[in-house]
Amino acid sequence: MIINTPIIPAKLQFIKKADAEHTLHLEAICIFMATGFFMDEDTYWHDLVCLSPAHQHELDEQGYLIKSTPSFQWHYTPREITFETALEEYIDLLTKITRKQVGDSPVILPLSGGLDSRSQALIFKNLPNPVQSFSYAFQNGYQEHQIAKKIATACDFDFKAFTIPKGYLWGSINELSKLINGYSEFTHPRQMAVLPELKQMEGVFSLGHWGDVLFDRGVPEGLKNSEVIPFLLKKMVKPKGMELAEKLWQYWELEGDFKSYLIARIETGLDKIKIAELSAKIRAFKTSQWAHRWTTTNLCVFEAAHPITMPYYDDEMCEFICTIPEAYLSDRRLQIAHLKQDKALSNITWQENKPFNLNNFQYNRSPYNIPYRVFNKLKRVGQGLIGKPYIQRNWELQFVGNENVKQLESHLFEDKFNHWIPQTIIKEVYQDFNHGDAVASSHAVSVLLTLSLWHQQNFKNS
């Protein structure tokens, strides 16, 4: 049997290996603790692999993986074309892929304050499909859905705004754990909070994931080859993630040290990408790692409601990216030029550069942005004074407050879990979260919570 995987799979596929023992892959788990995702084919087990993207996989009669052969190699082969030609090709391709994916179906379009979903909105504005758009904002947080509503209004879409409420996680954590199977932190897929409402909608999702990576620089301008590993470590490893991974590495008495192991894994991944242009090389590395093992993992939550379509994941889009000069991809140039063709959409706030829009975001620097920053700071402080702290991150809704604490501690300090991950390590992380830098420690708490639910699922009788 042969299985072909796309360049960026929208669904993870797990296959058993016949020549490996059914033992925990502790090194891979340490990487998950540090970064929040698994690398390459890694899973929790040595005899279970996640099929690599852009490969042809051969299975034997029993369904075990025999071998995997690359079917696509990332490359950088820029054509000698003008920016105007590249822009026209990009718009035509995005339109073509979108039409192919959604057909005549009604469309469910999540909208944010960024560029990817806004680019999709501009495509759907000129297509006949009925569009139900929606957005969400954190309770007592930035009202992102206000930007999304303006986009929907400009495109004449139906629109719904949702609020992600405090403590929503605990009522759905078991269902979410089964969906993502321990391969992502629970605090990332906030759409889980509104899954029942999403199920009531009709149509197929059109999701804009990964456009921001494909259509931007792979590395900061001027980065040297000698600086790539430190750059990737900074991007991949979450605050306090390295410390947690190192503690578990030592507790499990694994060979060598964790940081050296992680660097070696990154170097191996980079060596497989035969591209001299550094920005293109790192974009390809991010796509084969982050997109596949982090972004894709949470797509199953959307898929639990309706079928998903993803224009930026399409093979043709990836092939297109490989032929476009880096200067055209950098700084979101193609997406911005596309959106500037619609005055209404380009004049709506770009969340990343709020309060500026696509026509004046270059002024998001001192002194032009000082009035907004001062006003925003006063607003956050004011909310805190009246007992409604400003929420910027999902974990603040899930881990803070008496009821949240009870739920969190019941999982972190569950007896069977603590037989595997010692309380001494968990207490150190939790103490730092409660009495040190909560923002920095939140990732470590979150992955330990994920690990606890995974352990409960897989070792019910241990």
Side-chain angles (χ1 to χ4, degrees), residues 81-91 320 324-325 328 334:
I81 56 175
T82 64
F83 180 81
E84 289 70 25
T85 300
L87 176 61
E88 183 179 345
E89 289 184 1
Y90 159 66
I91 297 170
F320 173 73
I324 300 300
Y328 299 169
L334 285 173

Side-chain angles (χ1 to χ4, degrees), residues 110 116 120 191 207-212 295 299 302 310-313:
D116 297 331
Q120 291 177 276
Q191 62 272 15
L207 306 176
H209 296 64
W210 214 246
D212 59 330
T295 303
L299 297 178
F302 287 105
M310 306 187 68
Y312 294 112
Y313 264 43

Side-chain angles (χ1 to χ4, degrees), residues 125-249:
K125 185 177 182 179
N126 298 307
L127 294 181
N129 304 68
V131 176
Q132 171 64 69
S133 60
F134 70 92
S135 188
Y136 20 54
F138 294 138
Q139 181 180 335
N140 298 329
Y142 178 71
Q143 302 300 293
E144 179 178 344
H145 60 262
Q146 292 180 354
I147 299 177
K149 185 176 182 179
K150 291 179 180 178
I151 295 170
T153 300
C155 296
D156 199 25
F157 298 157
D158 289 336
F159 179 77
K160 288 187 178 181
F162 298 112
T163 298
I164 308 300
K166 186 173 184 177
Y168 80 83
L169 177 63
W170 310 113
S172 59
I173 194 168
N174 289 315
E175 181 183 3
L176 180 56
S177 182
K178 290 175 183 176
L179 283 173
I180 63 177
N181 203 22
Y183 288 102
S184 173
E185 296 175 53
F186 293 134
T187 56
H188 288 309
R190 56 183 178 170
Q191 62 272 15
M192 193 68 193
V194 296
L195 185 58
E197 289 85 351
L198 296 180
K199 287 181 178 180
Q200 296 302 311
M201 297 178 179
E202 294 183 4
V204 299
F205 284 111
S206 184
L207 306 176
H209 296 64
W210 214 246
D212 59 330
V213 177
L214 295 182
F215 290 91
D216 202 356
R217 298 178 187 274
V219 296
E221 192 173 11
L223 191 80
K224 300 175 183 176
N225 279 292
S226 60
E227 299 169 328
V228 167
I229 296 299
F231 168 77
L232 287 174
L233 283 175
K234 187 175 181 180
K235 288 288 183 182
M236 290 175 67
V237 178
K238 299 292 190 292
K240 303 290 184 177
M242 184 70 76
E243 292 93 324
L244 175 58
E246 288 174 338
K247 287 174 183 176
L248 289 173
W249 190 276

Side-chain angles (χ1 to χ4, degrees), residues 67 128 357 366 391 431 440:
K67 67 176 181 178
N357 58 47
S366 181
I391 302 298
Q431 178 82 2

Side-chain angles (χ1 to χ4, degrees), residues 157-450:
F157 298 157
D158 289 336
F159 179 77
K160 288 187 178 181
F162 298 112
T163 298
I164 308 300
K166 186 173 184 177
Y168 80 83
L169 177 63
W170 310 113
S172 59
I173 194 168
N174 289 315
E175 181 183 3
L176 180 56
S177 182
K178 290 175 183 176
L179 283 173
I180 63 177
N181 203 22
Y183 288 102
S184 173
E185 296 175 53
F186 293 134
T187 56
H188 288 309
R190 56 183 178 170
Q191 62 272 15
M192 193 68 193
V194 296
L195 185 58
E197 289 85 351
L198 296 180
K199 287 181 178 180
Q200 296 302 311
M201 297 178 179
E202 294 183 4
V204 299
F205 284 111
S206 184
L207 306 176
H209 296 64
W210 214 246
D212 59 330
V213 177
L214 295 182
F215 290 91
D216 202 356
R217 298 178 187 274
V219 296
E221 192 173 11
L223 191 80
K224 300 175 183 176
N225 279 292
S226 60
E227 299 169 328
V228 167
I229 296 299
F231 168 77
L232 287 174
L233 283 175
K234 187 175 181 180
K235 288 288 183 182
M236 290 175 67
V237 178
K238 299 292 190 292
K240 303 290 184 177
M242 184 70 76
E243 292 93 324
L244 175 58
E246 288 174 338
K247 287 174 183 176
L248 289 173
W249 190 276
Q250 292 168 11
Y251 174 74
W252 286 326
E253 298 181 341
L254 300 176
E255 186 178 345
D257 67 278
F258 171 70
K259 187 174 183 180
S260 297
Y261 175 79
L262 177 58
I263 289 174
R265 290 292 301 271
I266 294 172
E267 289 174 337
T268 299
L270 287 172
D271 287 344
K272 293 178 181 177
I273 301 169
K274 309 301 182 183
I275 299 176
E277 165 59 48
L278 196 54
S279 189
K281 184 183 183 79
I282 302 306
R283 184 186 298 108
F285 178 80
K286 288 179 180 178
T287 304
S288 62
Q289 299 290 345
W290 270 275
H292 181 222
R293 300 309 307 272
W294 187 70
T295 303
T296 295
T297 304
N298 293 317
L299 297 178
C300 59
V301 180
F302 287 105
E303 203 167 26
H306 299 284
I308 61 173
T309 64
M310 306 187 68
Y312 294 112
Y313 264 43
D314 192 89
D315 280 3
E316 278 193 85
M317 187 65 77
C318 295
E319 290 274 15
F320 173 73
I321 290 294
C322 293
T323 69
I324 300 300
E326 277 298 309
Y328 299 169
L329 294 174
S330 298
D331 305 320
R332 317 294 294 272
R333 285 185 65 193
L334 285 173
Q335 288 181 309
I336 291 171
H338 174 213
L339 289 165
K340 279 187 173 183
Q341 293 182 359
D342 188 292
K343 187 175 180 180
L345 288 177
S346 64
N347 280 329
I348 297 171
T349 303
W350 181 3
Q351 185 173 329
E352 185 181 321
N353 289 284
K354 57 183 184 291
F356 302 99
N357 58 47
L358 273 65
N359 299 302
N360 60 11
F361 67 90
Q362 63 271 21
Y363 293 109
N364 187 16
R365 54 187 173 86
S366 181
Y368 307 105
N369 59 5
I370 289 178
Y372 175 79
R373 292 172 60 187
V374 170
F375 173 78
N376 201 39
K377 179 68 176 292
L378 290 173
K379 183 180 178 181
R380 295 199 305 270
V381 171
Q383 279 191 213
L385 291 174
I386 62 173
K388 294 183 177 180
Y390 186 80
I391 302 298
Q392 300 182 68
R393 311 163 188 90
N394 204 344
W395 65 262
E396 294 174 279
L397 290 173
Q398 315 311 324
F399 298 165
V400 178
N402 292 335
E403 288 303 313
N404 281 336
V405 167
K406 288 178 186 177
Q407 292 283 355
L408 178 61
E409 291 181 353
S410 72
H411 293 291
L412 292 181
F413 300 108
E414 194 268 331
D415 285 343
K416 291 181 180 179
F417 178 55
N418 293 161
H419 283 138
W420 181 38
I421 307 297
Q423 271 200 18
T424 51
I425 291 177
I426 297 173
K427 282 182 176 179
E428 285 178 13
V429 170
Y430 197 52
Q431 178 82 2
D432 195 22
F433 176 75
N434 286 320
H435 304 291
D437 188 342
V439 175
S441 301
S442 61
H443 161 80
V445 172
S446 184
V447 287
L448 285 172
L449 173 64
T450 305

